[in-house]
Amino acid sequence: MLAKTGLLILTQPISYVKTLIPKVIAEASVVVSETLYVCLQPALQSQHVTHSSLLQPLTLTQEVESCLASFYRSVSGVCHTLDVKVLLAHICSNTAQYSVTPYSLQKPVSLLLSDSLIVKDLWQKNPVHLTGALKSAFSNLDSNLDFHFVKSSGDGQASENFSETGSSSEPVVIYPNVVLGGTFDRLHDGHKLLLSQSSLLCGKKLTIGITDGEVNKKKLLWELMQPYPLREQQVVSFVSEIKPTITLEPVQIFDPFGPTITDPDLQCLVVSQETSAGGEAVNRERLKVGFPCLKMVAIDLVDDACRSADEEEKISSSSLRKRALGTLLHPIPSRPNLPPSPYIVGVVGGIASGKTRLCSVLGSLGAKIIDCDLLGHRAYVKGTDAHRQIVEEFGEIVVGEDGEINRQKLGPIVFSDKSRLSKLNSIVWPAICSLAEKEIKQTTSGVIVLEAAVLLEAGWDSMVHEVWTTFVTREEAVKRIMTRNGLSQEAAEKRIDSQLSNIDRIQKCNVAICTQWEVQVTDKQIKKAWALLQTRIKSLAQNKL
Ligand SMILES: CC(=O)SCCNC(=O)CCNC(=O)[C@H](O)C(C)(C)COP(=O)(O)OP(=O)(O)OC[C@H]1O[C@@H](n2cnc3c(N)ncnc32)[C@H](O)[C@@H]1OP(=O)(O)O
């Protein structure tokens, strides 16, 4: 029994559940493959369960907060692929005022999981009746709902010593207006904990600042960051599922402060340990304009159990972006004009971004490389039509003593004037294209790599199945061009500016390889990209794409 989505109702005392979370997630991940909604219902343990009492309120205590944190901390170590969402709308400071608000679950739930013998018994006696009752509390339950009894939490016998006592059972203060901020790129368990904790503390309106623009460009591999609308949609969709009872206000922010220094009605700011200094700066700014200080709540960071030696200890979007290098960033377009074999990969990249390294490693892995730069040399040798047109357009000044086009003379002319560059392109690209097509026709199987720096600008993407790009930061490219080509900084920047920007190129490419670091790091990305490519080619052959 493997369900895509499960709803787990845990009925043991919270202090006991907390000790079992890794085991419970491990058990759930055997029967649920994608999404696991978790609903904490300790009240079901002690009282007689009827269908109308299936969603009971739970008082928000420190114990509950820490249990919530344990869920998100445990997931990455146990099963990082499982999307866990702990439901929070029934957790409140005053349970007497609670009225049932059903959860609108976005994924259809096909498996109910519980540690309760009572729920198990209700299921065995009349599953249709129980499903009907659950539907008043949770939308989107599959009509073929199945049941799994969670053994790892032991159904109460071992939990007798775990009644909620002491200071951790004190209720936690809830604030009407809570605010938090972040980049929220590739929503991970650290984000989910921050958003969940903020939602728990929020009684009415949750303001979520989501960074965009220049402030994001300071981040590692910012070019791979998800676009703002997607990041906002992921945040809103997560919070509205776990706590549908609060109003959400996502705000696009272009500095670290956002609405915290313009909205006097905010009361509580939730930060991660890393950003607590930023929280103090917020309060200094609020005092300057006469706003009351925000109560600051700092959340511990979530460790990344999947990290490699060179990655940060905490789960971070930067590590996730680094892991995205070499993987498929954008789906492969359909190319009915191309036969499935040979499979053609276009390689593009800004000047000095490491295309040559990428192609030489791909060559060593078995790809046939067609270097369009070399074809370009052949396209305008003396006697060709392109040679004649270039001389007509640019004059004898670009012709060397041997009668060939002198690239060192032609380069500075075209790279400092876009209209002249496009004139050259209009002469040379058709000639290179027909030479490339001839080379492609000579191969009938395997992988062909068409290395063409400006393939996208030339509109040659229809000639290839997918496009890969290399990239480095602008500063690194300038440094490399100055060293490699002996050009001044100004000339180097002109060459960079005559091409697409990294971000434009990455958005149009299927795979990105960053050659910023040591060669071993580049090679690792290329080998990963090659292995994933083989899988895609296999699926294409089996008509699965
Ligand atoms: C569609 C394609 O990608 S075909 C392959 C690219 N070739 C062309 O577009 C043909 C036109 N270009 C040329 O003839 C030559 O590049 C010249 C004459 C302009 C300059 O020659 P050179 O001084 O020898 O420089 P070189 O050819 O090494 O190019 C330097 C950089 O300019 C870039 N470049 C080349 N052609 C172009 C172009 N048409 N537009 C913008 N940038 C270009 C490349 O990124 C290259 O970087 P790289 O060496 O890291 O790959």
Side-chain angles (χ1 to χ4, degrees):
M1 173 191 13
L2 192 62
K4 271 192 179 169
T5 305
L7 168 64
L8 169 63
I9 298 181
L10 289 173
T11 63
Q12 306 291 344
I14 298 299
S15 50
Y16 182 57
V17 165
K18 225 180 91 183
T19 63
L20 295 165
I21 291 170
K23 270 199 207 161
V24 169
I25 293 177
E27 185 178 340
S29 68
V30 175
V31 286
V32 178
S33 60
E34 290 178 11
T35 305
L36 182 69
Y37 295 106
V38 179
C39 187
L40 300 173
Q41 284 290 299
L44 289 191
Q45 188 66 231
S46 52
Q47 62 177 245
H48 177 64
V49 178
T50 62
H51 291 132
S52 60
S53 66
L54 273 170
L55 192 55
Q56 289 295 312
L58 171 63
T59 308
L60 174 57
T61 60
Q62 286 174 14
E63 192 80 72
V64 173
E65 282 184 316
S66 115
C67 181
L68 173 75
S70 298
F71 266 103
Y72 291 112
R73 279 181 211 300
S74 305
V75 179
S76 99
V78 180
C79 180
H80 68 279
T81 51
L82 195 62
D83 181 15
V84 171
K85 299 177 187 189
V86 184
L87 303 174
L88 307 176
H90 64 286
I91 305 176
C92 44
S93 56
N94 187 350
T95 53
Q97 283 175 5
Y98 173 76
S99 65
V100 175
T101 308
Y103 286 102
S104 302
L105 307 179
Q106 284 161 17
K107 303 278 175 71
V109 175
S110 53
L111 186 65
L112 172 69
L113 302 91
S114 183
D115 58 356
S116 161
L117 280 175
I118 305 169
V119 174
K120 184 182 177 191
D121 189 49
L122 285 174
W123 175 265
Q124 282 170 347
K125 281 189 184 134
N126 195 340
V128 176
H129 206 167
L130 179 63
T131 308
L134 283 167
K135 279 184 177 169
S136 62
F138 309 96
S139 69
N140 219 354
L141 298 186
D142 208 292
S143 46
N144 295 321
L145 192 70
D146 218 334
F147 180 76
H148 174 86
F149 179 64
V150 178
K151 296 176 198 72
S152 53
S153 109
D155 196 52
Q157 274 76 21
S159 66
E160 279 153 13
N161 302 330
F162 283 85
S163 56
E164 330 288 3
T165 53
S167 63
S168 58
S169 60
E170 291 294 310
V172 168
V173 179
I174 285 183
Y175 301 85
N177 299 320
V178 176
V179 61
L180 78 158
T183 307
F184 300 108
D185 180 39
R186 296 172 161 77
L187 200 76
H188 54 62
D189 288 313
H191 295 136
K192 287 190 198 169
L193 177 56
L194 188 68
L195 290 164
S196 298
Q197 183 66 42
S198 310
S199 306
L200 264 188
L201 296 178
C202 174
K204 233 167 136 187
K205 190 179 85 175
L206 184 64
T207 304
I208 309 170
I210 304 171
T211 59
D212 206 14
E214 291 305 309
V215 70
N216 284 356
K217 294 190 181 166
K218 297 189 182 102
K219 310 249 175 200
L220 180 79
L221 298 172
W222 65 271
E223 299 91 339
L224 266 61
M225 206 174 268
Q226 293 172 325
Y228 178 86
L230 177 60
R231 289 182 285 124
E232 182 189 293
Q233 182 255 315
Q234 287 171 165
V235 164
V236 170
S237 137
F238 177 74
V239 181
S240 50
E241 265 196 305
I242 59 164
K243 194 157 180 181
T245 45
I246 51 175
T247 303
L248 288 186
E249 193 159 289
V251 186
Q252 190 172 22
I253 60 173
F254 300 97
D255 62 48
F257 293 110
T260 57
I261 55 168
T262 54
D263 185 346
D265 298 331
L266 298 171
Q267 288 118 5
C268 171
L269 171 65
V270 182
V271 291
S272 70
Q273 268 175 351
E274 269 184 333
T275 52
S276 52
E280 282 151 22
V282 162
N283 274 340
R284 281 196 297 276
E285 291 300 311
R286 282 179 75 88
L287 282 175
K288 278 188 206 162
V289 288
F291 292 172
C293 278
L294 298 176
K295 164 79 186 161
M296 279 226 290
V297 175
I299 307 294
D300 287 346
L301 298 167
V302 174
D303 283 349
D304 186 350
C306 310
R307 73 181 185 277
S308 56
D310 61 337
E311 287 178 339
E312 296 171 272
E313 215 167 289
K314 57 156 190 160
I315 295 190
S316 86
S317 300
S318 311
S319 301
L320 297 180
R321 285 195 293 276
K322 225 169 166 184
R323 279 177 221 163
L325 293 167
T327 69
L328 199 60
L329 298 176
H330 304 115
I332 304 298
S334 144
R335 293 272 181 250
N337 58 316
L338 295 179
S341 191
Y343 194 86
I344 311 172
V345 175
V347 164
V348 303
I351 178 164
S353 64
K355 291 182 295 295
T356 309
R357 176 79 203 175
L358 168 58
C359 292
S360 96
V361 177
L362 290 177
S364 71
L365 290 168
K368 171 186 167 152
I369 312 296
I370 300 178
D371 179 345
C372 289
D373 192 30
L374 288 183
L375 296 185
H377 296 193
R378 269 170 51 199
Y380 47 72
V381 288
K382 209 163 89 186
T384 58
D385 205 30
H387 182 280
R388 183 187 52 76
Q389 287 183 60
I390 291 174
V391 180
E392 261 174 36
E393 174 66 29
F394 296 93
E396 290 292 335
I397 190 164
V398 299
V399 182
E401 282 175 9
D402 56 359
E404 297 292 348
I405 301 295
N406 183 333
R407 296 159 70 93
Q408 277 69 42
K409 291 218 169 117
L410 183 55
I413 298 171
V414 294
F415 289 127
S416 56
D417 182 340
K418 283 199 173 175
S419 66
R420 307 219 79 191
L421 178 62
S422 67
K423 189 71 214 173
L424 174 69
N425 290 341
S426 68
I427 297 169
V428 185
W429 283 349
I432 302 178
C433 183
S434 81
L435 290 173
E437 278 171 346
K438 267 186 207 149
E439 292 232 3
I440 290 170
K441 277 196 187 124
Q442 285 168 15
T443 310
T444 51
S445 61
V447 175
I448 292 182
V449 168
L450 189 68
E451 179 186 356
V454 282
L455 174 145
L456 295 170
E457 292 90 326
W460 293 0
D461 28 338
S462 58
M463 287 171 67
V464 300
H465 292 92
E466 56 187 87
V467 187
W468 295 11
T469 184
T470 49
F471 72 105
V472 288
T473 58
R474 185 180 175 92
E475 297 71 41
E476 177 67 17
V478 169
K479 232 173 22 189
R480 289 185 189 179
I481 301 166
M482 289 169 72
T483 316
R484 184 187 76 174
N485 302 43
L487 293 181
S488 67
Q489 177 167 346
E490 194 194 352
E493 291 192 341
K494 267 190 184 154
R495 294 215 169 183
I496 293 171
D497 292 334
S498 72
Q499 302 184 325
L500 283 178
S501 65
N502 280 341
I503 181 87
D504 285 341
R505 212 179 278 112
I506 288 169
Q507 277 167 5
K508 291 184 175 117
C509 285
N510 307 101
V511 173
I513 303 287
C514 181
T515 70
Q516 184 86 14
W517 310 286
E518 306 85 68
V519 80
Q520 295 88 324
V521 181
T522 303
D523 290 0
K524 213 168 142 188
Q525 294 170 49
I526 302 172
K527 284 181 185 150
K528 178 177 177 180
W530 178 259
L532 293 170
L533 174 71
Q534 301 310 312
T535 318
R536 287 199 287 283
I537 294 174
K538 227 176 175 178
S539 326
L540 185 71
Q542 293 163 355
N543 253 341
K544 281 192 186 155
L545 271 182

